[in-house]
Amino acid sequence: MERLSDESNERYYHGTKADLVLGDVIAPGNRSNFGSRRTANHVYFSATVDAAVWGAELAAGDGPGRIYVVEPTGPIEDDP
């Protein structure tokens, strides 16, 4: 995996059904929104709105899909 710069000016998006408010932190260690809902060791986010929409559509739960603009708080890795 390629390590990306933490100082990128790129905008990132996170798709989910969770109802978040400004200042909430999305962090590893919570149950995944996908598949078997195991404890997640990472947080997925995307540089494209389309991928975030896909994540929101696949997320577990009954609420509407939501797209958030997010800001990484630590190092990020590309997951091709």
Side-chain angles (χ1 to χ4, degrees):
M1 286 188 215
E2 175 186 350
R3 187 163 299 275
L4 303 176
S5 169
D6 295 332
E7 298 178 21
S8 170
N9 290 328
E10 191 162 14
R11 181 170 281 187
Y12 297 109
Y13 306 92
H14 179 74
T16 184
K17 290 187 179 159
D19 188 10
L20 304 174
V21 297
L22 186 62
D24 281 351
V25 175
I26 306 167
N30 296 304
R31 286 179 48 181
S32 170
N33 272 332
F34 306 98
S36 66
R37 306 226 38 219
R38 294 182 297 174
T39 299
N41 295 325
H42 48 270
V43 173
Y44 280 107
F45 57 91
S46 172
T48 68
V49 173
D50 288 340
V53 167
W54 182 61
E57 290 172 348
L58 293 175
D62 295 325
R66 295 176 170 93
I67 308 301
Y68 295 96
V69 175
V70 296
E71 182 178 317
T73 59
I76 60 175
E77 292 183 16
D78 187 13
D79 183 13

